[in-house]
Amino acid sequence: MNVLDRFRLDGRRALVTGGSRGLGLEMARALAEAGAAVVVVGREPSRLDQAVNDLGVVGQVDVLVGDLSTVDGAVAMCNAALERFAAIDILVNNVGGRRVNEPLEEMALDTWRQLVDLNLNQAVACTKIIGGAMLPRGWGRVINVSSISGRVAIRQMRGRSYETAKAGLTMFTRALAADWAPHGVTVNAIAPGPFLTDANRRWFAEQPEFQSQVESTIPLGRMGDPREIGPLAVFLASEAASYVTGAEIVIDGGRTLW
């Protein structure tokens, strides 16, 4: 087997939450191009249909509708996935987001709980159910999408539920990696910095000065192209990363260096 063959995912099935858009879509695309059968999870059927159109030309793609903003929604999706598919070998916990930007002292505690569910607890539920089913088979990959916000407090943001949840997701990754290593299941995290997703493009269209402010904080001088995250997901999902577990790999153009 040559080195490039070790990155192939033929015969594996990957489930990507939040895979119908943004970074999730690009990770799903890369996994499919590497040979995996991909299950894309999203809330909106129309977006999932579009994802099938985008990804179907590169590999086998199935979809599941699921709202992972709550733990109950995550559990329902996972149970449906395990009932529908014989085995899921690769789990990418990509769902998350910063939907509220208000100071902690003004934030309702229920809002805090909802945001921690969105950015941490649903991923824990998915890992418990889908990742747990990997243990008896003796092989599996769990990839959690954390954030550089789990390492640094972003100056323009408020509330800090996002930072707290993402830091928790990173420590969950490390601790569970130790527990599951004897079972042949690796658990790693990807910590993205600023990427020029469609959502950020819309935001910058409303605040064009903010894009230059963000880019001025990045040593490479630009935001990431969403396609740049896909190869990292393939690496962590493949045999090329068979000796990597408990890692959080930062992909941020050097943003956290300064």
Side-chain angles (χ1 to χ4, degrees), residues 162-192:
Y162 185 76
E163 290 86 346
T164 301
K166 290 301 188 180
L169 186 60
T170 296
M171 193 59 225
F172 172 69
T173 298
R174 290 175 56 79
L176 192 65
D179 292 345
W180 285 7
H183 301 279
V185 176
T186 65
V187 187
N188 292 291
I190 296 173

Side-chain angles (χ1 to χ4, degrees), residues 88-109:
I88 294 170
D89 306 293
I90 301 156
L91 169 64
V92 181
N93 286 313
N94 173 64
V95 163
R98 185 192 297 273
R99 299 180 180 177
V100 175
N101 189 34
E102 60 181 331
L104 176 65
E105 63 271 20
E106 298 175 9
M107 182 183 294
L109 287 177

Side-chain angles (χ1 to χ4, degrees), residues 85-196:
F85 303 103
I88 294 170
D89 306 293
I90 301 156
L91 169 64
V92 181
N93 286 313
N94 173 64
V95 163
R98 185 192 297 273
R99 299 180 180 177
V100 175
N101 189 34
E102 60 181 331
L104 176 65
E105 63 271 20
E106 298 175 9
M107 182 183 294
L109 287 177
D110 281 347
T111 300
W112 175 278
R113 294 189 189 97
Q114 291 165 8
L115 292 170
V116 173
D117 278 350
L118 173 66
N119 288 292
L120 173 59
N121 293 333
Q122 57 80 22
V124 172
C126 291
T127 302
K128 168 184 166 59
I129 297 171
I130 292 180
M134 301 172 186
L135 301 180
R137 299 196 300 272
W139 196 97
R141 300 285 189 265
V142 177
I143 303 170
N144 295 319
V145 179
S146 58
S147 170
I148 62 168
S149 293
R151 293 174 168 233
V152 296
I154 305 301
R155 183 175 300 176
Q156 296 88 352
M157 303 303 177
R158 297 293 181 269
R160 306 312 182 190
S161 59
Y162 185 76
E163 290 86 346
T164 301
K166 290 301 188 180
L169 186 60
T170 296
M171 193 59 225
F172 172 69
T173 298
R174 290 175 56 79
L176 192 65
D179 292 345
W180 285 7
H183 301 279
V185 176
T186 65
V187 187
N188 292 291
I190 296 173
F195 274 78
L196 200 53

Side-chain angles (χ1 to χ4, degrees), residues 27-257:
M27 287 187 284
R29 187 190 313 278
L31 294 168
E33 289 179 350
V38 176
V39 181
V40 175
V41 179
R43 289 184 301 167
E44 302 172 20
S46 61
R47 295 289 306 193
L48 289 171
D49 290 342
Q50 185 175 335
V52 170
N53 290 334
D54 288 345
L55 303 179
V57 296
V58 298
Q60 179 183 339
V61 180
D62 292 288
V63 298
L64 276 177
V65 177
D67 183 354
L68 275 66
S69 62
T70 68
V71 173
D72 287 346
V75 170
M77 182 282 295
C78 292
N79 289 336
L82 292 181
E83 182 177 344
R84 180 172 170 186
F85 303 103
I88 294 170
D89 306 293
I90 301 156
L91 169 64
V92 181
N93 286 313
N94 173 64
V95 163
R98 185 192 297 273
R99 299 180 180 177
V100 175
N101 189 34
E102 60 181 331
L104 176 65
E105 63 271 20
E106 298 175 9
M107 182 183 294
L109 287 177
D110 281 347
T111 300
W112 175 278
R113 294 189 189 97
Q114 291 165 8
L115 292 170
V116 173
D117 278 350
L118 173 66
N119 288 292
L120 173 59
N121 293 333
Q122 57 80 22
V124 172
C126 291
T127 302
K128 168 184 166 59
I129 297 171
I130 292 180
M134 301 172 186
L135 301 180
R137 299 196 300 272
W139 196 97
R141 300 285 189 265
V142 177
I143 303 170
N144 295 319
V145 179
S146 58
S147 170
I148 62 168
S149 293
R151 293 174 168 233
V152 296
I154 305 301
R155 183 175 300 176
Q156 296 88 352
M157 303 303 177
R158 297 293 181 269
R160 306 312 182 190
S161 59
Y162 185 76
E163 290 86 346
T164 301
K166 290 301 188 180
L169 186 60
T170 296
M171 193 59 225
F172 172 69
T173 298
R174 290 175 56 79
L176 192 65
D179 292 345
W180 285 7
H183 301 279
V185 176
T186 65
V187 187
N188 292 291
I190 296 173
F195 274 78
L196 200 53
T197 59
D198 289 342
N200 279 335
R201 288 180 189 277
R202 290 192 295 270
W203 189 19
F204 293 141
E206 298 172 3
Q207 305 179 70
E209 74 287 349
F210 190 49
Q211 181 171 355
S212 61
Q213 291 174 18
V214 171
E215 290 175 341
S216 70
T217 68
I218 303 171
L220 285 181
R222 63 175 178 85
M223 299 180 70
D225 184 316
R227 291 173 295 183
E228 292 177 298
I229 201 170
L232 180 52
V234 170
F235 167 65
L236 290 175
S238 73
E239 285 297 331
S242 58
Y243 199 53
V244 180
T245 197
E248 182 190 48
I249 301 179
V250 174
I251 177 169
D252 69 348
R255 167 66 179 79
T256 50
L257 297 176

